[in-house]
Amino acid sequence: FGSRSRCHIVLSLVTLPILAMRCVAACVGMAASGIVGSCGGQSPSPVPDCANVDLGSCGNACCKLSIEVPMSTSAAMHALNSSLANGGPDGYYTLQPTAEGTLGFGDLRPFKNGVDFIGQVHHMTSGPKHYNDTIDITLTATATGSMVKAFSLSLIGGALGDNGQSYKNIKMAMDGAFKSNGYKLSHVDDSCPEPADPVMM
C-alpha cells in the first residue's frame, strides 16, 4: 500500500470505533429512558409532543418558546447542563462550546446586561438521515425564578416543514431538566403553532 492508503486505513481503524461507541451510547440512552426523541417521517407524527409543526417561520423550520421556571437562573442552568451533558433525555443531544470558553452554558452575570446565562446544544434525529438542529438558550432572573428562552432551528437548508421536531427539541429538553419542579411554557411568536382543532363532521 502507498502511504496515503496506509493513512486511510489507520484513520478508519481509529475513527470507526469512536463512531460506533457514539451510536451505542445514544441507543443505550434511548433504551434506558424509553423516550423517542425524533418525530419521524410519518405525518402527522404519532410521537408525543410532535404536533406543533412549523412551516419555515424563520426562513427555515424553527421554534421559539419561553419557559417560566420556579428556581434561580444558576439552578436552572445547572439542571439543563446536567440533563443534557450525557445526551439528554433521548441520548441525541450534544452540548456545544460557547464564546465564553465553556461547554454548554456561558456565565454572563459579570456583564450585568440582564441575561445571566447563554448556551447552545445540538440535537440529532434518530432516523436514517440524522438531521441536526441547533437549540439556543438564554436564562434571565424573574421575581419568581427564571425565564428561559429557547430557540430551535433546523440546520439543513430548505427545511420548510419539520413535522414538529423543532418544538419537540425544546419540550423534551425542558422536561428532562424541569419536569419534577414544574414549569410554564409559552409561545412568543407564530413559530411552531399549536395544532388546529380537528374539524368535526
Side-chain angles (χ1 to χ4, degrees):
F1 295 106
S3 60
R4 183 173 296 181
S5 297
R6 286 196 297 270
C7 287
H8 286 168
I9 292 171
V10 171
L11 286 173
S12 296
L13 291 173
V14 171
T15 56
L16 285 176
I18 294 173
L19 292 173
M21 288 174 63
R22 287 180 179 174
C23 290
V24 169
C27 290
V28 169
M30 182 174 65
S33 65
I35 294 173
V36 178
S38 299
C39 293
Q42 182 179 337
S43 183
S45 174
V47 179
D49 298 322
C50 288
N52 294 67
V53 176
D54 188 78
L55 294 174
S57 294
C58 305
N60 219 33
C62 71
C63 184
K64 186 176 181 180
L65 301 170
S66 62
I67 302 96
E68 298 177 48
V69 183
M71 60 176 68
S72 70
T73 55
S74 179
M77 182 277 292
H78 284 295
L80 282 166
N81 219 24
S82 61
S83 171
L84 298 171
N86 295 313
D90 70 337
Y92 284 93
Y93 287 89
T94 306
L95 291 171
Q96 298 300 303
T98 69
E100 292 71 35
T102 55
L103 184 65
F105 287 85
D107 188 350
L108 301 183
R109 290 174 296 180
F111 301 103
K112 302 185 186 302
N113 61 8
V115 177
D116 286 358
F117 296 96
I118 187 168
Q120 187 179 93
V121 62
H122 286 180
H123 181 263
M124 182 177 71
T125 61
S126 59
K129 294 187 177 180
H130 289 302
Y131 291 117
N132 287 282
D133 305 318
T134 292
I135 302 98
D136 293 310
I137 302 170
T138 61
L139 297 95
T140 57
T142 66
T144 58
S146 303
M147 175 65 72
V148 180
K149 291 184 178 179
F151 175 72
S152 178
L153 178 69
S154 297
L155 280 179
I156 189 169
L160 176 66
D162 64 357
N163 208 29
Q165 189 64 52
S166 300
Y167 178 91
K168 173 76 170 178
N169 292 338
I170 299 174
K171 179 66 164 56
M172 181 167 46
M174 297 305 128
D175 281 348
F178 307 129
K179 193 168 186 178
S180 60
N181 294 293
Y183 66 88
K184 181 181 178 182
L185 185 149
S186 304
H187 291 266
V188 296
D189 57 20
D190 61 353
S191 63
C192 56
E194 292 297 325
D197 292 332
V199 178
M200 302 301 293
M201 301 298 289

